[in-house]
Amino acid sequence: MDFALSEEQRMLQDSISGYLEGGSSLECVRQVAEGGGVRADDVWQELAGLGVHGVLIDEDYGGVGLGHLEAALIAEALGATTTPVPYVASSIMAPTAIAAAGSSEQKESWLPRIAAGEIVVGVGVTEQIGRRESDGITSAGGNLTGKAMFVLDGAEADAYLIASDDGAMHMVDSGEVERQRLKTIDRTRTVAEVTLNGAKADTLSGSTTSREALLATIDVGRLILAADTLGAAQTMLDKAIDYAKERRQFNRVIGSFQAVKHMCAEMAAELEPCRSMIWYAAHAYGAIPEEGRAMACHAKAHLAEVGQFVARKSTEVHGGMGITDLLGLHYWFKRIGFNRQLLGAPELVREEAAKAQGWI
């Protein structure tokens, strides 16, 4: 049995990575992050042409109709370059929710525009994972009231997918809400606080009787965040190795010192098994549904821990240069740290995995 990527999957990965190496350069990332922007518009449009925004959307609705493994490969490439464009919420979570719970009319209305990159959809589901007592969203008569915190890709979204306290999901036009961009450590992506005061909502019809569509939306978001962390951590490892081959002390490159060799080897040993874990979790989500939720949670939790380890060790290999803006290592460091907390920290996600497997 062949457990490797198919030729088509390798071609997809190579084409996305090949473009991002030049299109999403460190200078591009720095310009968006330090300039207070929400995305790199030229990169966003180019990714739309490559079909990235419609990776999980059926061809009938203008997408490319690929699977979760392909979506994870794209996320890995985006994480490797800390590309400052919406993806996890607008291109993955929102289409998942609409495809799972939307009516035919709702799919026709939203999915083609998402696939074409015409709109960005922010996703507010964090109140379903953990929220303050004063926050939350209530639904009554087709209107939403309340406050959604940490809405992903939400700073300048054209529409929002908001989950209410009863587990139903609703599409809301941006003109119906008040939003405020929240400042986080990761400036390559945006989150927002969205306030709704009787906002008119288009409720996804299939989400009113079951929470399965909501849970699937959160699960796939966790899987994609784990893949993003994998890409970011791999880049930090590669940068540490390259730096160790060039930096000289005592007339020797520091990579010749045993302590530095051990640090790089330890990072590689921790990170390499994560790739097959992500691949299996993404494959299982579509092919082995009974394992999908548990594997998505395990992948998210494990990559959060390994990513944090690699980020710290890579910075240590770089020494004082590792914390300077010149190398830009902090963009990957912060992205990994932000991914760790989004949609649940490792402890919470492991508890959900245990519940999914019937242990608690």
Side-chain angles (χ1 to χ4, degrees):
M1 184 175 291
D2 186 2
F3 290 100
L5 297 178
S6 68
E7 182 179 353
E8 292 78 9
Q9 289 165 340
R10 289 195 296 270
M11 289 175 61
L12 171 68
Q13 189 176 43
D14 290 344
S15 64
I16 300 297
S17 298
Y19 164 67
L20 292 177
E21 285 177 4
S24 182
S25 63
L26 179 58
E27 186 56 38
C28 170
V29 173
R30 183 177 282 118
Q31 183 177 357
V32 173
E34 305 306 322
V38 295
R39 71 183 186 196
D41 288 323
D42 54 342
V43 178
W44 169 264
Q45 294 300 331
E46 185 66 28
L47 291 177
L50 292 171
V52 166
H53 307 317
V55 62
L56 293 183
I57 297 175
D58 288 342
E59 294 181 48
D60 292 342
Y61 298 106
V64 293
L66 298 179
H68 293 91
L69 179 51
E70 288 81 4
L73 295 176
I74 293 171
E76 183 180 347
L78 293 171
T81 52
T82 60
T83 305
V85 296
Y87 180 67
V88 63
S90 185
S91 302
I92 301 298
M93 296 178 71
T96 296
I98 296 168
S103 64
S104 297
E105 293 77 12
Q106 289 168 329
K107 293 175 184 178
E108 288 284 359
S109 173
W110 295 104
L111 293 180
R113 290 188 287 164
I114 295 173
E118 295 176 3
I119 61 172
V120 174
V121 180
V123 175
V125 296
T126 56
E127 283 70 38
Q128 302 295 319
I129 301 168
R131 66 181 177 90
R132 302 171 185 173
E133 292 182 0
S134 59
D135 296 327
I137 304 295
T138 58
S139 174
N143 299 96
L144 300 181
T145 300
K147 182 185 294 183
M149 298 293 293
F150 298 102
V151 176
L152 307 181
D153 295 343
E156 290 192 10
D158 303 290
Y160 294 92
L161 173 73
I162 303 293
S164 54
D165 292 346
D166 58 4
M169 293 183 288
H170 316 265
M171 295 299 297
V172 183
D173 187 85
S174 61
E176 296 282 331
V177 308
E178 297 177 12
R179 60 190 177 192
Q180 178 181 353
R181 182 174 180 176
L182 300 177
K183 187 175 182 179
T184 69
I185 60 170
D186 181 11
R187 297 183 183 179
T188 64
R189 290 176 302 189
T190 67
V191 295
E193 174 187 301
V194 175
T195 303
L196 306 102
N197 296 309
K200 184 178 179 180
D202 181 15
T203 303
L204 300 184
S205 54
S207 67
T208 57
T209 57
S210 171
R211 294 175 60 90
E212 283 304 308
L214 171 60
L215 295 175
T217 301
I218 295 173
D219 289 341
V220 75
R222 287 169 171 163
L223 172 63
I224 297 304
L225 286 173
D228 188 276
T229 294
L230 173 63
Q234 183 65 58
T235 295
M236 292 199 76
L237 170 59
D238 293 343
K239 287 181 175 293
I241 293 172
D242 291 343
Y243 186 78
K245 291 178 180 179
E246 298 174 358
R247 180 73 169 94
R248 301 182 66 87
Q249 283 188 340
F250 308 110
N251 294 320
R252 294 171 56 185
V253 293
I254 63 172
S256 66
F257 296 122
Q258 190 175 44
V260 177
K261 289 180 182 179
H262 283 180
M263 293 170 72
C264 293
E266 199 173 3
M267 285 189 284
E270 290 286 341
L271 189 60
E272 185 57 32
C274 295
R275 181 163 285 102
S276 56
M277 185 180 194
I278 292 292
W279 288 0
Y280 180 76
H283 167 75
Y285 203 83
I288 317 173
E290 63 273 17
E291 294 186 15
R293 179 163 302 149
M295 287 306 305
C297 290
H298 283 308
K300 171 70 164 63
H302 188 64
L303 264 295
E305 302 287 10
V306 173
Q308 185 182 60
F309 171 79
V310 172
R312 184 179 70 249
K313 286 292 183 181
S314 175
T315 305
E316 290 174 2
V317 170
H318 283 81
M321 288 296 294
I323 60 174
T324 66
D325 185 62
L326 180 64
L327 298 183
L329 203 65
H330 58 93
Y331 292 116
W332 287 270
F333 189 103
K334 293 172 181 177
R335 185 129 172 175
I336 290 170
F338 193 43
N339 284 349
R340 177 185 174 90
Q341 298 303 122
L342 284 176
L343 301 181
E347 298 80 9
L348 184 148
V349 177
R350 286 196 177 103
E351 182 179 353
E352 292 196 19
K355 290 178 181 177
Q357 294 175 281
W359 294 346
I360 59 176

